[in-house]
Amino acid sequence: MACSATAFAATPRVEVVSTGLQNPWGLAFIDGGRMLVTERPGRLRVVQPDGQLGAPLAGLPKIEAGGQGGLLDVIADSRFERNRTIYFCFSEPGPGGNSTALAVAQLSDDATRLENVRTIFSQKPKVASSAHFGCRIVEARDQTLFLTLGERFSRKDDAQKLDNHLGKVVRLRKDGSAPPDNPFATTPGALPEIWSLGHRNLQGAALGPDGRLWTIEHGPQGGDEVNRPEAGKNYGWPVITYGENYGGGAIGEGITAKAGMEQPLHYWVPSIAPSGMAWVTSERYGKAWVGSMLVGSLKFGHLARLSFQGTKLVKEEKLLPKLGERLRDVRQGPDGFIYLLTDESDGRLLRLVP
């Protein structure tokens, strides 16, 4: 459903934590109030609680940075304090081009390098493209990992096929193998890692208050979507969409619904170019915010706050309309505050203060 903006309450103010980041993309919280921030050109840094940036960590694998590709999302394992494990995704070069890959590593005790780095999953096939990598990572409550994968722009029809990872959400064990209860694990010709299909370019993902995976994805010209991907379901791209081709004109048959394909829970026309998603569980901003979904906009540079009843969107508010920077990531920290990354050549790490 489409929804107009409706006001909730006063907007918090923005506090600058760090500056001087080059196109930061992903943010993760580790220990002692410290954070990890990825920079798309291929750097991973530790940010101290006072905002001081550390030197780039050593030990990253080879990354093909360019266009929308590079070092993208990062998360800390739920047991980081015991195992110092992180997961990160990036554009991996190889025969035929590049693709999204997922790696695991341990942060060294002195926080200067990554150790025991292993690439545990590589999207297939590799494609000669610098667009639509997807690349958000979510750890589920059962300790499996969800990874969102774009359809690489030039290969959109492959989002409807099960013999590739393009335009999919995949679900993995922490060693990169496919859980045996994945929906296509025993389907002949299907890749066993696939969880859902028919996606375009998913750049936001998080567990909702219901404990289930929620995602946001870029439409073409219009038709950005909020979805709650379920096992084995088809989310329609490029057969159904509320968007159109860049410059105008229908995509495919120009239809928005088809039997066997899921409708988005919300869509934006015109596109806001959504990236980064967080659910508010903290009461830092008052009880009215608890249960809200926050989504960053790259196109308009605002923060969208969405209120759902179950899976029905009931309100949307545009926050920070004058920020004027591309919002790439949105996270709630262990301190209950909301943190934002701005995707600029001189990018910033921001904190929302009530």
Side-chain angles (χ1 to χ4, degrees):
M1 61 173 291
C3 184
S4 61
T6 304
F8 282 109
T11 302
R13 64 182 175 89
V14 171
E15 182 176 84
V16 179
V17 179
S18 293
T19 60
L21 292 158
Q22 186 176 357
N23 300 107
W25 213 96
L27 172 67
F29 302 92
I30 47 175
D31 51 10
R34 298 186 299 173
M35 293 162 275
L36 293 171
V37 175
T38 63
E39 294 175 289
R40 198 171 69 236
R43 293 183 293 271
L44 178 63
R45 299 181 188 269
V46 175
V47 183
Q48 297 298 328
D50 64 1
Q52 180 180 349
L53 294 179
L57 300 181
L60 287 169
K62 187 174 182 181
I63 296 168
E64 186 166 309
Q68 297 173 5
L71 181 59
L72 304 175
D73 204 17
V74 60
I75 68 166
D77 187 88
S78 58
R79 300 172 181 172
F80 177 85
E81 290 187 1
R82 282 182 278 173
N83 60 25
R84 301 192 66 76
T85 295
I86 69 167
Y87 302 90
F88 59 93
C89 56
F90 61 100
S91 47
E92 178 187 55
N98 53 57
S99 67
T100 302
L102 178 67
V104 62
Q106 280 77 49
L107 180 65
S108 65
D109 289 338
D110 63 2
T112 63
R113 65 191 183 280
L114 299 181
E115 299 174 333
N116 305 315
V117 180
R118 293 181 295 119
T119 297
I120 56 174
F121 172 83
S122 295
Q123 181 188 35
K124 298 176 182 176
K126 295 208 180 303
V127 178
S129 171
S130 61
H132 294 196
F133 290 89
C135 204
R136 289 292 180 191
I137 314 162
V138 174
E139 181 178 348
R141 291 178 177 176
D142 65 359
Q143 307 289 304
T144 59
L145 300 174
F146 288 109
L147 175 65
T148 70
L149 300 170
E151 34 72 288
R152 311 309 314 282
F153 186 73
S154 62
R155 299 285 292 270
K156 64 180 184 294
D157 291 337
D158 281 329
Q160 288 294 316
K161 302 172 184 175
L162 294 174
D163 63 353
N164 66 81
H165 295 125
L166 306 183
K168 311 296 193 298
V169 174
V170 295
R171 175 173 173 257
L172 309 165
R173 290 169 163 166
K174 288 183 176 177
D175 62 1
S177 63
D181 59 344
N182 269 2
F184 301 108
T186 59
T187 301
L191 296 183
E193 299 88 1
I194 295 172
W195 176 258
S196 60
L197 66 153
H199 300 287
R200 187 172 182 267
N201 187 24
L202 313 95
Q203 291 192 339
L207 294 186
D210 54 6
R212 298 170 70 169
L213 178 70
W214 292 63
T215 61
I216 51 172
E217 65 184 88
H218 291 257
Q221 187 168 280
D224 301 337
E225 296 182 359
V226 177
N227 289 301
R228 192 178 68 171
E230 297 183 41
K233 291 193 175 180
N234 185 338
Y235 290 81
W237 177 256
V239 179
I240 61 172
T241 177
Y242 287 90
E244 60 181 14
N245 280 309
Y246 295 109
I251 292 172
E253 298 178 17
I255 58 176
T256 58
K258 187 172 183 177
M261 295 182 177
E262 303 302 310
Q263 284 290 300
L265 303 182
H266 175 54
Y267 63 90
W268 285 275
V269 177
S271 291
I272 68 167
S275 186
M277 173 203 287
W279 289 91
V280 181
T281 61
S282 161
E283 293 189 5
R284 288 279 194 183
Y285 310 95
K287 291 185 178 180
W289 275 46
V290 175
S292 299
M293 174 194 288
L294 300 179
V295 175
S297 168
L298 294 165
K299 181 177 179 180
F300 297 114
H302 69 254
L303 182 66
R305 184 164 79 89
L306 287 71
S307 178
F308 286 87
Q309 289 181 353
T311 57
K312 181 181 180 182
L313 179 70
V314 292
K315 292 181 181 178
E316 180 179 1
E317 179 185 14
K318 296 178 182 178
L319 304 172
L320 314 179
K322 297 181 180 180
L323 184 65
E325 295 178 71
R326 290 162 52 87
L327 288 181
R328 174 60 73 183
D329 202 10
V330 183
R331 306 275 178 163
Q332 179 179 287
D335 57 7
F337 288 115
I338 299 299
Y339 291 79
L340 310 172
L341 288 177
T342 67
D343 184 8
E344 307 287 345
S345 57
D346 185 10
R348 302 194 293 171
L349 171 59
L350 308 174
R351 177 167 48 224
L352 292 189
V353 181

